[in-house]
PDB file of all heavy atoms in Angstrom:
ATOM      1  N   ALA A 295      -7.765  -4.891   3.554  1.00  0.00           N
ATOM      2  CA  ALA A 295      -6.469  -5.555   3.662  1.00  0.00           C
ATOM      3  C   ALA A 295      -6.499  -6.626   4.611  1.00  0.00           C
ATOM      4  O   ALA A 295      -5.554  -6.699   5.382  1.00  0.00           O
ATOM      5  CB  ALA A 295      -5.369  -4.539   3.819  1.00  0.00           C
ATOM      6  N   ALA A 296      -7.507  -7.482   4.605  1.00  0.00           N
ATOM      7  CA  ALA A 296      -7.596  -8.617   5.592  1.00  0.00           C
ATOM      8  C   ALA A 296      -6.577  -9.691   5.278  1.00  0.00           C
ATOM      9  O   ALA A 296      -6.278 -10.166   4.153  1.00  0.00           O
ATOM     10  CB  ALA A 296      -9.006  -9.161   5.568  1.00  0.00           C
ATOM     11  N   VAL A 297      -5.970 -10.170   6.338  1.00  0.00           N
ATOM     12  CA  VAL A 297      -4.967 -11.311   6.343  1.00  0.00           C
ATOM     13  C   VAL A 297      -5.539 -12.434   6.982  1.00  0.00           C
ATOM     14  O   VAL A 297      -4.958 -13.506   6.989  1.00  0.00           O
ATOM     15  CB  VAL A 297      -3.529 -10.932   6.792  1.00  0.00           C
ATOM     16  CG1 VAL A 297      -2.862  -9.903   5.943  1.00  0.00           C
ATOM     17  CG2 VAL A 297      -3.600 -10.508   8.278  1.00  0.00           C
ATOM     18  N   LYS A 298      -6.641 -12.213   7.739  1.00  0.00           N
ATOM     19  CA  LYS A 298      -7.302 -13.319   8.315  1.00  0.00           C
ATOM     20  C   LYS A 298      -8.893 -13.006   8.386  1.00  0.00           C
ATOM     21  O   LYS A 298      -9.223 -11.814   8.489  1.00  0.00           O
ATOM     22  CB  LYS A 298      -6.868 -13.427   9.740  1.00  0.00           C
ATOM     23  CG  LYS A 298      -7.173 -14.728  10.547  1.00  0.00           C
ATOM     24  CD  LYS A 298      -6.404 -14.874  11.772  1.00  0.00           C
ATOM     25  CE  LYS A 298      -7.154 -15.991  12.632  1.00  0.00           C
ATOM     26  NZ  LYS A 298      -6.771 -15.915  13.970  1.00  0.00           N
ATOM     27  N   LEU A 299      -9.612 -13.999   7.979  1.00  0.00           N
ATOM     28  CA  LEU A 299     -11.108 -13.756   7.986  1.00  0.00           C
ATOM     29  C   LEU A 299     -11.845 -15.052   8.431  1.00  0.00           C
ATOM     30  O   LEU A 299     -11.614 -16.123   7.947  1.00  0.00           O
ATOM     31  CB  LEU A 299     -11.512 -13.549   6.489  1.00  0.00           C
ATOM     32  CG  LEU A 299     -13.003 -13.281   6.202  1.00  0.00           C
ATOM     33  CD1 LEU A 299     -13.563 -12.160   6.887  1.00  0.00           C
ATOM     34  CD2 LEU A 299     -13.203 -13.133   4.716  1.00  0.00           C
ATOM     35  N   GLU A 300     -12.669 -14.764   9.399  1.00  0.00           N
ATOM     36  CA  GLU A 300     -13.568 -15.886   9.920  1.00  0.00           C
ATOM     37  C   GLU A 300     -14.947 -15.353   9.910  1.00  0.00           C
ATOM     38  O   GLU A 300     -15.291 -14.328  10.349  1.00  0.00           O
ATOM     39  CB  GLU A 300     -13.121 -16.223  11.335  1.00  0.00           C
ATOM     40  CG  GLU A 300     -12.055 -17.412  11.253  1.00  0.00           C
ATOM     41  CD  GLU A 300     -11.215 -17.463  12.535  1.00  0.00           C
ATOM     42  OE1 GLU A 300     -11.694 -17.068  13.617  1.00  0.00           O
ATOM     43  OE2 GLU A 300     -10.159 -17.958  12.346  1.00  0.00           O
ATOM     44  N   VAL A 301     -15.892 -16.317   9.433  1.00  0.00           N
ATOM     45  CA  VAL A 301     -17.263 -15.862   9.350  1.00  0.00           C
ATOM     46  C   VAL A 301     -18.012 -16.933  10.034  1.00  0.00           C
ATOM     47  O   VAL A 301     -17.924 -18.103   9.892  1.00  0.00           O
ATOM     48  CB  VAL A 301     -17.696 -15.883   7.787  1.00  0.00           C
ATOM     49  CG1 VAL A 301     -19.202 -15.627   7.740  1.00  0.00           C
ATOM     50  CG2 VAL A 301     -16.790 -14.842   7.144  1.00  0.00           C
ATOM     51  N   ALA A 302     -19.001 -16.527  10.954  1.00  0.00           N
ATOM     52  CA  ALA A 302     -19.837 -17.408  11.700  1.00  0.00           C
ATOM     53  C   ALA A 302     -20.978 -16.714  12.238  1.00  0.00           C
ATOM     54  O   ALA A 302     -20.807 -15.628  12.716  1.00  0.00           O
ATOM     55  CB  ALA A 302     -19.035 -18.157  12.888  1.00  0.00           C
ATOM     56  N   ASN A 303     -22.129 -17.336  12.296  1.00  0.00           N
ATOM     57  CA  ASN A 303     -23.315 -16.717  12.867  1.00  0.00           C
ATOM     58  C   ASN A 303     -23.667 -15.218  12.380  1.00  0.00           C
ATOM     59  O   ASN A 303     -23.934 -14.423  13.141  1.00  0.00           O
ATOM     60  CB  ASN A 303     -23.230 -16.762  14.332  1.00  0.00           C
ATOM     61  CG  ASN A 303     -22.886 -18.116  14.970  1.00  0.00           C
ATOM     62  OD1 ASN A 303     -23.396 -19.121  14.393  1.00  0.00           O
ATOM     63  ND2 ASN A 303     -22.035 -18.005  15.936  1.00  0.00           N
ATOM     64  N   GLY A 304     -23.661 -15.162  11.109  1.00  0.00           N
ATOM     65  CA  GLY A 304     -23.991 -13.812  10.527  1.00  0.00           C
ATOM     66  C   GLY A 304     -23.011 -12.725  10.902  1.00  0.00           C
ATOM     67  O   GLY A 304     -23.377 -11.479  10.901  1.00  0.00           O
ATOM     68  N   ALA A 305     -21.792 -13.020  11.427  1.00  0.00           N
ATOM     69  CA  ALA A 305     -20.848 -11.992  11.603  1.00  0.00           C
ATOM     70  C   ALA A 305     -19.440 -12.355  11.232  1.00  0.00           C
ATOM     71  O   ALA A 305     -19.222 -13.478  10.865  1.00  0.00           O
ATOM     72  CB  ALA A 305     -20.784 -11.694  13.179  1.00  0.00           C
ATOM     73  N   LEU A 306     -18.595 -11.364  11.193  1.00  0.00           N
ATOM     74  CA  LEU A 306     -17.201 -11.791  10.725  1.00  0.00           C
ATOM     75  C   LEU A 306     -16.270 -11.176  11.683  1.00  0.00           C
ATOM     76  O   LEU A 306     -16.431 -10.208  12.452  1.00  0.00           O
ATOM     77  CB  LEU A 306     -16.833 -11.146   9.349  1.00  0.00           C
ATOM     78  CG  LEU A 306     -16.738  -9.688   9.018  1.00  0.00           C
ATOM     79  CD1 LEU A 306     -15.375  -9.097   9.442  1.00  0.00           C
ATOM     80  CD2 LEU A 306     -16.984  -9.538   7.583  1.00  0.00           C
ATOM     81  N   GLU A 307     -15.057 -11.894  11.815  1.00  0.00           N
ATOM     82  CA  GLU A 307     -13.886 -11.281  12.545  1.00  0.00           C
ATOM     83  C   GLU A 307     -12.707 -11.347  11.674  1.00  0.00           C
ATOM     84  O   GLU A 307     -12.524 -12.320  10.885  1.00  0.00           O
ATOM     85  CB  GLU A 307     -13.590 -12.042  13.818  1.00  0.00           C
ATOM     86  CG  GLU A 307     -12.584 -11.402  14.701  1.00  0.00           C
ATOM     87  CD  GLU A 307     -12.562 -11.952  16.094  1.00  0.00           C
ATOM     88  OE1 GLU A 307     -13.490 -11.807  16.851  1.00  0.00           O
ATOM     89  OE2 GLU A 307     -11.476 -12.401  16.399  1.00  0.00           O
ATOM     90  N   ALA A 308     -12.027 -10.268  11.539  1.00  0.00           N
ATOM     91  CA  ALA A 308     -10.872 -10.187  10.566  1.00  0.00           C
ATOM     92  C   ALA A 308      -9.714  -9.544  11.190  1.00  0.00           C
ATOM     93  O   ALA A 308      -9.825  -8.797  12.198  1.00  0.00           O
ATOM     94  CB  ALA A 308     -11.144  -9.411   9.379  1.00  0.00           C
ATOM     95  N   GLU A 309      -8.526  -9.825  10.594  1.00  0.00           N
ATOM     96  CA  GLU A 309      -7.247  -9.139  11.038  1.00  0.00           C
ATOM     97  C   GLU A 309      -6.631  -8.493   9.842  1.00  0.00           C
ATOM     98  O   GLU A 309      -6.728  -8.945   8.787  1.00  0.00           O
ATOM     99  CB  GLU A 309      -6.315 -10.174  11.597  1.00  0.00           C
ATOM    100  CG  GLU A 309      -6.843 -10.729  13.042  1.00  0.00           C
ATOM    101  CD  GLU A 309      -5.755 -11.609  13.721  1.00  0.00           C
ATOM    102  OE1 GLU A 309      -4.652 -11.667  13.147  1.00  0.00           O
ATOM    103  OE2 GLU A 309      -6.112 -12.177  14.735  1.00  0.00           O
ATOM    104  N   ARG A 310      -6.047  -7.339  10.185  1.00  0.00           N
ATOM    105  CA  ARG A 310      -5.316  -6.724   9.046  1.00  0.00           C
ATOM    106  C   ARG A 310      -4.014  -6.003   9.662  1.00  0.00           C
ATOM    107  O   ARG A 310      -3.958  -5.671  10.886  1.00  0.00           O
ATOM    108  CB  ARG A 310      -6.128  -5.585   8.312  1.00  0.00           C
ATOM    109  CG  ARG A 310      -6.505  -4.454   9.265  1.00  0.00           C
ATOM    110  CD  ARG A 310      -7.454  -3.544   8.565  1.00  0.00           C
ATOM    111  NE  ARG A 310      -7.358  -2.112   8.956  1.00  0.00           N
ATOM    112  CZ  ARG A 310      -6.705  -1.213   8.174  1.00  0.00           C
ATOM    113  NH1 ARG A 310      -6.287  -1.513   7.064  1.00  0.00           N
ATOM    114  NH2 ARG A 310      -6.680  -0.007   8.578  1.00  0.00           N
ATOM    115  N   GLU A 311      -3.026  -5.972   8.880  1.00  0.00           N
ATOM    116  CA  GLU A 311      -1.733  -5.487   9.257  1.00  0.00           C
ATOM    117  C   GLU A 311      -1.713  -3.980   9.190  1.00  0.00           C
ATOM    118  O   GLU A 311      -2.021  -3.380   8.178  1.00  0.00           O
ATOM    119  CB  GLU A 311      -0.557  -6.022   8.412  1.00  0.00           C
ATOM    120  CG  GLU A 311      -0.256  -7.450   8.609  1.00  0.00           C
ATOM    121  CD  GLU A 311       0.724  -8.180   7.793  1.00  0.00           C
ATOM    122  OE1 GLU A 311       1.297  -7.410   6.859  1.00  0.00           O
ATOM    123  OE2 GLU A 311       0.989  -9.233   7.851  1.00  0.00           O
ATOM    124  N   VAL A 312      -1.284  -3.362  10.399  1.00  0.00           N
ATOM    125  CA  VAL A 312      -1.196  -1.887  10.287  1.00  0.00           C
ATOM    126  C   VAL A 312       0.246  -1.648  10.717  1.00  0.00           C
ATOM    127  O   VAL A 312       0.995  -2.639  11.176  1.00  0.00           O
ATOM    128  CB  VAL A 312      -2.177  -1.246  11.290  1.00  0.00           C
ATOM    129  CG1 VAL A 312      -3.674  -1.423  10.869  1.00  0.00           C
ATOM    130  CG2 VAL A 312      -1.893  -1.655  12.733  1.00  0.00           C
ATOM    131  N   GLU A 313       0.748  -0.464  10.641  1.00  0.00           N
ATOM    132  CA  GLU A 313       2.117  -0.225  10.923  1.00  0.00           C
ATOM    133  C   GLU A 313       2.337  -0.514  12.418  1.00  0.00           C
ATOM    134  O   GLU A 313       1.683  -0.006  13.278  1.00  0.00           O
ATOM    135  CB  GLU A 313       2.435   1.353  10.616  1.00  0.00           C
ATOM    136  CG  GLU A 313       2.440   1.676   9.198  1.00  0.00           C
ATOM    137  CD  GLU A 313       1.127   1.760   8.478  1.00  0.00           C
ATOM    138  OE1 GLU A 313       0.130   1.852   9.195  1.00  0.00           O
ATOM    139  OE2 GLU A 313       1.042   1.829   7.323  1.00  0.00           O
TER     140      GLU A 313
END
Side-chain angles (χ1 to χ4, degrees):
Chain A
V297 292
K298 197 170 163 196
L299 174 64
E300 269 157 28
V301 178
N303 308 323
L306 68 80
E307 187 165 298
E309 291 187 3
R310 66 188 210 106
E311 286 173 4
V312 298
E313 290 73 17

